[in-house]
Amino acid sequence: MTDPEVPMNIKQRLGYHASILGVIALGASALLVAGYVGTKSLIDTRLDEDMQASLQQVIPESLHDNNLVKDTTHLNIEDVTGKQVNTIFYRARLDKKITAIAYQVAGYGYSGEIDIILGVDITGKLLGVRVVSHSETPGLGDRIELGKSKWVLSFNGLSLENPKESLWGVKKDGGYFDQFTGATITPRAVVAAIKHGLKQFSLHKAELIESTAASPSSPLPNKAGVNQHG
Amino acid sequence: MANEYRQIIRNGLWDNNVTFTQMLALCPLMAVTSTATNGLGMGLATTFVLIISNMTISIFRNVTTPEVRIPVFVLLIAAIVTLVDMAMNAWLHELHKVLGLFIPLIVTNCAILGRAEAFASRNSVLPSMVDGLTMGLGFTFGLVVMGIVREITASGTLFANASSLLGSTFSFMEVTIIHDYRGFLLMMLPPGGFLAMGFLLAGKRILDKRISAANRRRQQIVNITPAPQHA
């Protein structure tokens, strides 16, 4: 099928092929740039909202009066494999005093990285655990998601003393935590990542809590504070 | 004219079904059909992309040359999928969280390039869009059927988590078919996908044979002297 406006002899020239490909590539890139610019700030807002939503799940509202997404500090901590990773710590404050910290750790499951967000109070007790992203087998390993199973809730209130450190493993390995039928690798990875995250917290606790007394984005001043952590 | 469209629709939905006849797009098919809901989500997203990509390629069909058509198609399809991904992330964020995983996968869907090459590059815009729609719906049908078979055999449920894809009004779709089912892991894993696919393909072949045999018999009754028929 030939277009009457473009005679065949022009269409057969090498230059025509190259330029049509070039023009379409340029057009497509221009569209992508426009799309990126047009959606960037919206997507960022949405991602911030998502982050806020997952932070709210791991740190109870009653423990903070600041905006967690805005009150962050960066620190290099060791990941499960021993590599140094720059990690963002979200700080929950009540009357400018840090009450809890939320941060993300990664475990390595059956099919790659499992990103887990932890909420830890200043005594090192888990306030909440959520799996942020993973690519585990649907129907098996995905029971680490709260939407699929209540398993992650079993970590609430636990710490490295309760159960004691040697029991931080799945039952199959003689530990404290349930694995799922048909999936051991995934919960094993999650338990190991949480244990590791708690250890890193106790290692860096001083830097995270005691040295950062002043809040950069200061919350409401002199709010009569009732200390609710416990 | 109406006949032409009827043919396009028939082709897309059954005769030339992406999954069961062309056997294209098996990669996303195996990857997402562990539940019927996932299949439905992937199918709908693919349908949308197919309509847009067929439309765009049909618009450009007279300026591209056979020598560069494949890079042009790939470029256009990749750009469309990326734009859809970004737009959904910005404006349909909740849906994107559910489907987000599948959308980049659409680029790898050879059915889209297949339709661009086989149909959209040779036909005008409206028939191309109809072709995209019906091919997409045919693909969705294939994904959902696969999903239903695998989900029931693997976990005994049907359309689990449909409400997170379609909204809470559709929670009635979530049913447990087999109560206290202990689960059949194999069907959830990729080999189960291949098994289900094999049985479904065989089933479609049998069905097609029956249909053409029935048609032949009907025609034999109409023509008293039967002419040789080709299936």
Side-chain angles (χ1 to χ4, degrees):
Chain A
M1 202 176 275
T2 51
D3 194 309
E5 284 165 35
V6 187
M8 212 49 208
N9 57 351
I10 293 182
K11 275 188 134 184
Q12 275 163 351
R13 277 192 207 145
L14 188 62
Y16 181 79
H17 304 316
S19 34
I20 194 69
L21 190 56
V23 167
I24 288 182
L26 206 66
S29 331
L31 265 178
L32 285 183
V33 170
Y36 177 77
V37 172
T39 54
K40 174 120 190 18
S41 62
L42 267 165
I43 291 175
D44 283 346
T45 324
R46 295 288 167 277
L47 292 181
D48 261 6
E49 283 169 13
D50 281 355
M51 195 67 215
Q52 201 148 17
S54 40
L55 286 173
Q56 249 159 27
Q57 290 190 309
V58 295
I59 294 185
E61 195 89 47
S62 56
L63 277 187
H64 66 95
D65 51 15
N66 64 333
N67 183 354
L68 293 177
V69 184
K70 297 274 177 274
D71 191 351
T72 60
T73 178
H74 293 251
L75 207 64
N76 281 326
I77 62 166
E78 214 173 74
D79 77 350
V80 188
T81 60
K83 213 170 59 197
Q84 291 289 320
V85 193
N86 193 289
T87 308
I88 308 171
F89 290 85
Y90 301 88
R91 296 175 290 197
R93 290 168 197 270
L94 204 61
D95 277 341
K96 297 186 183 179
K97 257 181 62 193
I98 293 181
T99 52
I101 302 272
Y103 55 105
Q104 218 165 303
V105 291
Y108 294 90
Y110 188 71
S111 39
E113 208 172 287
I114 306 172
D115 288 323
I116 304 160
I117 188 161
L118 305 179
V120 182
D121 77 3
I122 44 171
T123 63
K125 204 175 75 180
L126 283 169
L127 294 165
V129 174
R130 291 294 181 277
V131 171
V132 184
S133 69
H134 72 89
S135 42
E136 299 303 291
T137 317
L140 279 178
D142 67 352
R143 270 172 283 177
I144 52 177
E145 286 173 36
L146 186 60
K148 305 269 160 72
S149 143
K150 299 228 174 300
W151 185 74
V152 283
L153 295 181
S154 68
F155 289 96
N156 290 2
L158 301 184
S159 66
L160 282 181
E161 286 89 50
N162 167 39
K164 60 179 194 287
E165 214 182 307
S166 57
L167 282 176
W168 273 81
V170 291
K171 283 195 173 130
K172 200 171 184 174
D173 303 336
Y176 169 83
F177 297 97
D178 283 326
Q179 62 263 6
F180 323 124
T181 17
T184 315
I185 298 169
T186 309
R188 187 186 281 153
V190 173
V191 172
I194 295 171
K195 177 188 177 184
H196 184 84
L198 286 176
K199 266 186 170 165
Q200 291 300 313
F201 176 80
S202 60
L203 270 177
H204 298 280
K205 193 175 161 186
E207 296 159 73
L208 286 170
I209 294 171
E210 274 118 44
S211 68
T212 49
S215 161
S217 62
S218 78
L220 303 171
N222 296 329
K223 190 185 159 197
V226 190
N227 241 353
Q228 292 187 40
H229 50 94
Chain B
M1 203 52 184
N3 230 343
E4 183 199 349
Y5 284 112
R6 193 177 309 148
Q7 191 55 42
I8 295 173
I9 293 168
R10 238 188 105 90
N11 266 337
L13 294 184
W14 187 264
D15 286 354
N16 201 13
N17 186 286
V18 173
T19 317
F20 296 125
T21 309
Q22 299 182 54
M23 284 193 266
L24 288 176
L26 295 186
C27 159
L29 182 81
M30 297 298 165
V32 306
T33 54
S34 54
T35 69
T37 310
N38 280 358
L40 184 65
M42 179 67 172
L44 293 179
T46 309
T47 305
F48 182 70
V49 172
L50 252 176
I51 297 171
I52 309 272
S53 77
N54 264 11
M55 181 187 82
T56 324
I57 281 156
S58 179
I59 290 170
F60 283 108
R61 75 185 186 284
N62 288 333
V63 291
T64 52
T65 58
E67 287 82 356
V68 293
R69 69 183 195 286
I70 298 292
V72 167
F73 296 164
V74 171
L75 196 61
L76 287 174
I77 292 168
I80 291 163
V81 173
T82 314
L83 282 174
V84 167
D85 189 35
M86 290 193 290
M88 272 184 73
N89 200 353
W91 288 290
L92 297 168
H93 192 66
E94 288 305 310
L95 193 61
H96 186 269
K97 270 196 268 183
V98 183
L99 285 183
L101 186 70
F102 306 140
I103 293 169
L105 263 181
I106 297 175
V107 181
T108 69
N109 189 331
C110 40
I112 293 177
L113 188 62
R115 289 331 286 167
E117 169 75 7
F119 198 95
S121 63
R122 291 162 202 182
N123 290 281
S124 48
V125 177
L126 194 62
S128 296
M129 288 174 75
V130 174
D131 179 73
L133 174 70
T134 54
M135 279 291 161
L137 290 180
F139 181 53
T140 310
F141 167 71
L143 286 168
V144 171
V145 170
M146 274 280 283
I148 288 174
V149 170
R150 286 179 72 187
E151 191 178 343
I152 292 177
T153 47
S155 42
T157 59
L158 192 55
F159 286 108
N161 301 318
S163 50
S164 64
L165 174 70
L166 302 162
S168 50
T169 37
F170 286 88
S171 55
F172 68 88
M173 285 169 72
E174 302 173 16
V175 280
T176 308
I177 304 284
I178 312 170
H179 289 275
D180 299 324
Y181 189 53
R182 292 194 49 217
F184 184 37
L185 182 57
L186 177 71
M187 292 309 286
M188 184 86 64
L189 297 172
F194 285 99
L195 280 175
M197 185 72 192
F199 282 110
L200 286 173
L201 278 179
K204 189 193 183 251
R205 288 278 163 87
I206 292 171
L207 214 61
D208 276 343
K209 247 186 203 160
R210 290 255 168 96
I211 291 170
S212 68
N215 281 343
R216 220 172 304 156
R217 237 173 308 161
R218 204 178 307 142
Q219 248 155 3
Q220 277 172 350
I221 293 163
V222 173
N223 318 330
I224 303 158
T225 47
Q229 296 284 324
H230 297 283

